[in-house]
Amino acid sequence: MNEDSPVQILKNNIWYSNPIFIQILGICSTLAVTNNLSNTFIMTVGLMFVAAFTNITVSLLKNIIPRKVRMILQTLIIAFYVIIVDILLRAYLPEISKSLGPYVGLIITNCIIMGRAEAFAQSHGPIISAWDGITSGLGYMWVLLVIAFVRELMGFGTLFGITVLPAGFTHWTIMVMAPSAFFLLGTFIWIAKTIILKQEAK
Amino acid sequence: MKKDSLLYTVIISVVFAFLFVFLLSLAYGATKGKVEENQKLIEARAYLVAAGIAVDDDMDIEASFNSSFPNFDTESAYQTTTVNGKSVIVSPFQGNGLWGTITGVIGLTSDLKRIVGFEIVSHVETPGLGGRIDEAWFKKQFKGENAANGIVVKHGGGSGDTDPDNGEVDGITGASRTSDSVQVIVNQQIEFLKSELGGTK
């Protein structure tokens, strides 16, 4: 199948070359924000938005940007969209902006965005690049949500802030802290790789 | 002009930097009023919470704020108001957290012996760890707490502290530094108010 067809891009970004467990990109945010489902969800939506628009912009401007300064200009474009997200959240969703705090700004340093801009948008048209950005964001989102689901459930006994486990449940403090994301991510990669290897063996 | 030439590179870089920063300042300018409005509401809400007034999502914060603080004096370090017949001293505080400034509002009884309410306005602590100082369970602990000898934000213990008379509140697991900062900031503010109000007694 054609590598650049929309369906193949979707499959690749969600599973076969998932940004988190295959490309191992954006790990810092995976460790940091995933102890709470709501924050994780908004952060990943923000990333999806930034990735899509950065890809469109980079793809449109790829022919006039000199190679020498292309990465610094990509960073400028990424920073531009991240600040736009921050401004919009602050003006229209102040509660969420407050709870995310400095993490919105940290989307700038997320390697997935620059990785996709470099690897995909530089050599593809704007529309398919936007699709690549969105699906990369989706691939990032579902893995983070799975990790956040386990961490919030074990760490706080809640899901999206709603208590689901009985009051007698002892909260696993380790799940609230960053190290647990290492263990969970490691386990996740292990399971995902095992499945992929089995698929390939067939 | 050649695309690899130095001149072209410099011009393109300058043009792009200018263009994007210009667009950003437009977006900032367009939302400035809205952001300030939000900030005012957050502060007004914090004053109400600190004064021990129950705040819910449906109430008109601005009207409630104006009726509770009719003589709001922006020059003064604290405000006095009467809630349910009791005099309350409400004052904004700020201090250093782990990553940056923590600001908020604290309300105390007129003899400065008990905390009436405590609200965080802004902070840049680690989300999910120190950032949890802004969660309801943490702030609620201060309400009614005995502050005659200052407060202690406890580490460890496991079982949790529910006694309002011992001047202790539970710290946040994994955020000892932020917990310590809150303790220092609150105690400094109480000391400050004691010295401010000392003269008027």
Side-chain angles (χ1 to χ4, degrees):
Chain A
M1 195 189 237
N2 181 6
E3 269 296 301
D4 285 345
S5 75
V7 179
Q8 195 55 37
I9 289 172
L10 177 72
K11 278 187 186 165
N12 278 345
N13 283 331
I14 298 283
W15 184 256
Y16 296 103
S17 58
N18 184 284
I20 298 286
F21 60 78
I22 303 294
Q23 301 178 44
I24 320 285
L25 291 175
I27 297 304
C28 1
S29 53
T30 310
L31 301 181
V33 293
T34 52
N35 58 10
N36 177 316
L37 274 167
S38 331
N39 285 357
T40 308
F41 182 71
I42 291 156
M43 170 96 179
T44 51
V45 170
L47 181 121
M48 204 193 291
F49 172 89
V50 174
F53 280 93
T54 304
N55 268 4
I56 296 174
T57 316
V58 169
S59 170
L60 286 173
L61 300 176
K62 63 178 184 280
N63 291 327
I64 57 168
I65 295 178
R67 276 197 74 75
K68 269 183 261 179
V69 289
R70 82 180 184 287
M71 292 198 95
I72 194 77
L73 286 179
Q74 282 168 6
T75 314
L76 178 74
I77 293 166
I78 295 166
F80 169 76
Y81 284 114
V82 169
I83 298 171
I84 290 283
V85 169
D86 194 31
I87 287 176
L88 290 179
L89 283 182
R90 235 179 259 195
Y92 301 104
L93 298 165
E95 285 300 310
I96 287 164
S97 166
K98 218 178 153 201
S99 77
L100 275 178
Y103 275 109
V104 180
L106 284 182
I107 297 177
I108 296 174
T109 60
N110 196 308
C111 329
I112 295 172
I113 301 170
M114 195 156 201
R116 293 325 292 173
E118 248 319 85
F120 198 93
Q122 274 291 342
S123 54
H124 292 79
I127 294 166
I128 198 78
S129 295
W131 177 243
D132 180 73
I134 292 169
T135 50
S136 288
L138 278 176
Y140 173 73
M141 179 191 275
W142 84 265
V143 177
L144 259 67
L145 284 177
V146 168
I147 295 176
F149 177 86
V150 178
R151 287 185 71 187
E152 189 178 338
L153 188 66
M154 295 304 197
F156 299 113
T158 61
L159 290 175
F160 286 105
I162 300 156
T163 309
V164 288
L165 290 178
F169 176 77
T170 307
H171 296 169
W172 297 18
T173 307
I174 183 80
M175 285 296 178
V176 178
M177 298 192 279
S180 69
F182 267 117
F183 306 139
L184 285 173
L185 182 64
T187 316
F188 197 103
I189 293 174
W190 177 23
I191 295 170
K193 285 272 188 187
T194 311
I195 297 171
I196 289 173
L197 286 177
K198 268 198 184 145
Q199 280 176 338
E200 278 173 3
K202 268 177 197 168
Chain B
M1 207 185 297
K2 263 173 67 188
K3 232 183 101 180
D4 285 338
S5 75
L6 182 66
L7 190 63
Y8 180 82
T9 309
V10 171
I11 289 173
I12 283 287
S13 308
V14 171
V15 167
F16 273 83
F18 180 81
L19 184 72
F20 282 108
V21 174
F22 178 72
L23 289 175
L24 271 190
S25 54
L26 277 188
Y28 178 76
T31 54
K32 200 169 168 228
K34 187 93 184 138
V35 171
E36 277 170 4
E37 223 169 83
N38 289 337
Q39 190 56 30
K40 261 193 196 142
L41 268 186
I42 289 171
E43 275 168 30
R45 193 180 167 282
Y47 270 92
L48 291 178
V49 172
I53 299 164
V55 177
D56 60 55
D57 293 339
D58 306 324
M59 75 190 277
D60 185 348
I61 304 268
E62 217 176 328
S64 176
F65 178 76
N66 289 336
S67 70
S68 299
F69 297 93
N71 307 315
F72 193 85
D73 179 5
T74 48
E75 301 282 302
S76 171
Y78 58 89
Q79 314 292 331
T80 35
T81 182
T82 309
V83 181
N84 300 332
K86 281 185 187 142
S87 174
V88 181
I89 291 159
V90 183
S91 85
F93 62 82
Q94 62 168 321
N96 297 329
L98 175 58
W99 300 119
T101 310
I102 297 174
T103 64
V105 185
I106 189 167
L108 293 140
T109 52
S110 55
D111 58 1
L112 300 178
K113 292 235 163 79
R114 258 180 213 282
I115 296 174
V116 177
F118 173 83
E119 181 67 66
I120 302 279
V121 173
S122 72
H123 70 84
V124 285
E125 301 307 295
T126 324
L129 293 172
R132 298 185 66 208
I133 54 171
D134 205 9
E135 286 181 10
W137 69 269
F138 182 76
K139 295 182 289 197
K140 218 168 68 190
Q141 296 185 95
F142 288 85
K143 199 173 171 140
E145 194 74 33
N146 182 349
N149 301 311
I151 56 131
V152 177
V153 180
K154 271 192 347 181
H155 294 183
S159 55
D161 171 71
T162 49
D163 179 5
D165 291 322
N166 61 5
E168 290 179 353
V169 297
D170 291 326
I172 295 165
T173 309
S176 314
R177 297 273 302 278
T178 303
S179 302
D180 290 345
S181 302
V182 171
Q183 175 178 325
V184 170
I185 293 166
V186 170
N187 287 338
Q188 269 175 357
Q189 190 64 20
I190 294 170
E191 283 306 311
F192 167 74
L193 285 172
K194 274 183 186 163
S195 66
E196 279 283 301
L197 289 162
T200 59
K201 259 183 195 168

